[in-house]
Amino acid sequence: MIDISIIIPTYNNLGLLKKSLLSVINQQNVNIEVIIVDDSTNSEINDYLKKINSDKIQYYRNIQRKGTVRNWNYELTFAKGRYITVLHHDEYYADSINQLSNLLNNKEEIEVIISKVKVKRSDNSFYSLS
């Protein structure tokens, strides 16, 4: 069984997606799937993900752009995990998915968790959402 489905909507920014993806793909002791739905106008992200070739990653590319919200909702249809989290391509996990998994699995009454994320701006500076 998949513990956590991590959906990453993306659009035309491979550099940011790489950091986001690296923050989740090598997690240990938790069964994850990473679902990327690409709303990009080019094949750069598709080409990169073919090189990674990870069985944890599911990649879908929209033929016609869906826009932000429709893209997120579309991604949710692919999730098979017990829990689902959205990680935007300009965000990454500063802490471990394992911590999130442990928290969820030890607290039956939790329905929603909002975690601290770091967002990278186009000028390479960061800001945090708490």
Side-chain angles (χ1 to χ4, degrees):
M1 172 182 223
I2 296 169
D3 297 318
I4 301 174
S5 296
I6 303 164
I7 63 172
I8 306 176
T10 189
Y11 175 75
N12 282 351
N13 200 321
L14 178 59
L16 291 178
L17 175 65
K18 284 180 181 180
K19 178 112 179 163
S20 179
L21 190 56
L22 286 174
S23 77
V24 295
I25 196 66
N26 294 319
Q27 296 297 312
Q28 303 293 318
N29 304 318
V30 62
N31 190 11
I32 65 167
E33 66 177 351
V34 179
I35 303 164
I36 299 171
V37 176
D38 188 1
D39 218 16
S40 295
T41 59
N42 59 55
S43 66
E44 186 178 42
I45 291 169
N46 182 30
D47 297 341
Y48 173 74
L49 292 174
K50 283 181 183 176
K51 293 176 189 173
I52 291 180
N53 192 26
S54 171
D55 61 347
K56 291 181 182 179
I57 299 172
Q58 296 176 46
Y59 173 78
Y60 304 92
R61 181 160 184 215
N62 295 326
I63 295 169
Q64 290 187 321
R65 290 201 55 237
K66 293 187 179 300
T68 305
V69 175
R70 286 180 54 219
N71 198 35
W72 300 342
N73 289 337
Y74 181 57
E75 274 185 288
L76 290 171
T77 67
F78 298 109
K80 296 180 184 81
R82 182 172 173 205
Y83 301 104
I84 300 170
T85 184
V86 177
L87 182 66
H88 302 280
H89 75 207
D90 61 348
E91 301 170 342
Y92 68 94
Y93 286 108
D95 57 355
S96 172
I97 296 295
N98 293 326
Q99 292 172 346
L100 178 61
S101 178
N102 289 337
L103 180 63
L104 289 168
N105 289 326
N106 291 321
K107 304 286 183 185
E108 291 290 325
E109 69 277 5
I110 291 176
E111 293 182 17
V112 175
I113 294 178
I114 299 173
S115 66
K116 183 175 182 180
V117 295
K118 291 185 179 181
V119 180
K120 186 175 183 180
R121 294 183 176 114
S122 58
D123 66 359
N124 289 326
S125 65
F126 293 92
Y127 67 93
S128 294
L129 303 174
S130 298

